[in-house]
């Protein structure tokens, strides 16, 4: 204020006659002093007003941040998953969908409310940083990469998307049949070459009279059995508990009779070696967990018929790699068809590919337009429900 007063006096004195009466000079200085005080007060009022506005803007931003529900997709694999989810949620600006490289997930996970894991491994250390996380889920069914016990300790729910409502189970079942027919055709070609089979047998007839062992009779197993019936096969299946099987959840996808009508012989997990000895084709449909990892090992494969076929459309870790390689080399295993591998992406230089009776597809059995659109809707609906504080539906919790 003193600086403003001095400058004003100097300017006024420069334009004022040196003969100006003393009284007039005192009046002038009083007026200048009043102007300076007025300017200073206005400045402080403006600054105070700006601070108030800035505070309100910051509070508005904070409130908007709190109103956004953030969904994290881990990694670049299966890009249609996050693309379709964004499309489904485009009319819901309060839900934000991000896809983040695997190496960057740990640095940003604290900002998200929902996480779609895909191929990411979630251990207790990573989960400890998920401060705002309410739900971890898979874009599908496999949750073997998530430490469910640790998630539970941190108060985070874990869930999968049931395969029977998205078309995922149906497409996996169809992939299993494709791999079976492919392996049977290879066998047929070899038999023709050594004159054990005549040329021209229809490929569909190759399954006729075969016994197919479905190892793990869940949603995929049910859809597989339903589709195998017209081929004239005998179906045997094992499940840990048939009594607890949820027919209600599965019958919506079964149109030709009750589930039990599709199975000629049922058994428990303790019967898997006995059933393997009866089958021409074994199809793995199990979930991967601590109890099932490496379940198809040397004792299992040695119990299979010589020349029988092995198909896996579930998880690569169900098969013991060394055992499979050994029995392919010995000729005991007649063929291997897999949509899932021990390591993914699959190593194109893996020695197992040297065998002519091996068919492999790159984990695409469940990748269809219909199933991915269906799963994106489930993820989107769950995000909206979480944002609005409603119960989460359309998913299957595992903790």
């Amino acid at each position: 204020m003193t600086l403003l007063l001095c400058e004003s006096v100097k300017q006024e004195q420069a334009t004022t006659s040196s003969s100006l009466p003393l009284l007039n000079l005192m009046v002038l200085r009083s007026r200048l002093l009043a102007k300076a005080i007025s300017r200073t007060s206005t400045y402080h009022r403006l600054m105070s007003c700006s601070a108030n506005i800035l505070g309100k803007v910051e509070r508005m931003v904070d409130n908007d941040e709190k109103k956004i529900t953030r969904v994290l997709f881990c990694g670049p694999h299966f890009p249609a998953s996050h693309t379709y989810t964004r499309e489904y949620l485009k009319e819901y600006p309060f839900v934000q969908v991000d896809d983040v490289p695997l190496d960057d997930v740990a640095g940003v996970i604290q900002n998200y409310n929902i996480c779609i894991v895909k191929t990411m491994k979630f251990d207790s250390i990573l989960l400890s940083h998920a401060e705002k996380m309410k739900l971890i889920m898979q874009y599908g069914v496999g949750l073997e990469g998530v430490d469910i016990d640790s998630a539970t300790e941190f108060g985070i729910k874990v869930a999968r998307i049931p395969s029977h409502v998205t078309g995922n189970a149906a497409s996996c079942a169809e992939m299993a049949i494709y791999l079976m027919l492919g392996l049977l055709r290879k066998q047929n070609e070899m038999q023709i070459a050594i004159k054990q089979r005549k040329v021209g047998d229809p490929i569909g007839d190759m399954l006729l009279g075969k016994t197919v062992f479905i190892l793990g009779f869940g949603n995929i197993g049910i859809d597989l059995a339903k589709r195998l019936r017209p081929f004239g096969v005998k179906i045997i299946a094992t499940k840990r508990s048939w009594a607890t099987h949820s027919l209600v959840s599965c019958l919506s996808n079964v149109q030709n009779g009750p589930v039990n009508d599709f199975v000629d012989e049922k058994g428990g997990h303790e019967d898997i070696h006995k059933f393997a000895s009866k089958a021409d084709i074994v199809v793995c449909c199990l979930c991967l967990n601590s109890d099932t990892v490496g379940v198809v090992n040397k004792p299992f494969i040695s119990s299979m018929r010589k020349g029988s076929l092995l198909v896996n459309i579930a998880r690569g870790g169900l098969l013991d790699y060394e055992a499979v390689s050994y029995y392919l080399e010995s000729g005991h295993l007649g063929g291997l068809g897999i949509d899932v591998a021990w390591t993914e992406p699959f190593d194109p230089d893996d020695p197992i590919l040297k065998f002519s009776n091996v068919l492999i597809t790159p984990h695409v059995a469940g990748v269809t337009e219909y199933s991915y659109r269906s799963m994106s809707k489930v993820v989107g609906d769950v995000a909206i429900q979480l944002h609005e504080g409603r119960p989460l539906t359309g998913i299957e919790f595992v903790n």
Side-chain angles (χ1 to χ4, degrees), residues 26-41:
M26 291 175 64
V27 171
L28 175 62
R29 287 181 175 177
S30 296
R31 288 175 179 171
L32 290 173
L33 178 60
K35 281 184 180 181
I37 293 172
S38 176
R39 288 177 184 174
T40 305
S41 298

Side-chain angles (χ1 to χ4, degrees), residues 72-133:
L72 170 64
F73 279 77
C74 299
H77 306 301
F78 309 108
S81 60
H82 47 260
T83 299
Y84 290 170
T85 303
R86 282 198 190 98
E87 289 179 10
Y88 182 75
L89 290 167
K90 63 184 178 182
E91 302 298 328
Y92 301 90
F94 52 79
V95 178
Q96 177 179 317
V97 177
D98 297 324
D99 58 290
V100 175
L102 294 177
D103 292 340
D104 297 339
V105 169
V108 300
I109 194 171
Q110 71 275 8
N111 300 319
Y112 291 89
N113 311 109
I114 299 176
C115 180
I116 313 301
V117 297
K118 295 199 281 188
T119 60
M120 185 84 180
K121 302 294 184 184
F122 272 69
D123 57 18
S124 59
I125 296 175
L126 182 58
L127 289 165
S128 68
H129 297 291
E131 301 169 1
K132 299 178 182 178
M133 193 69 63

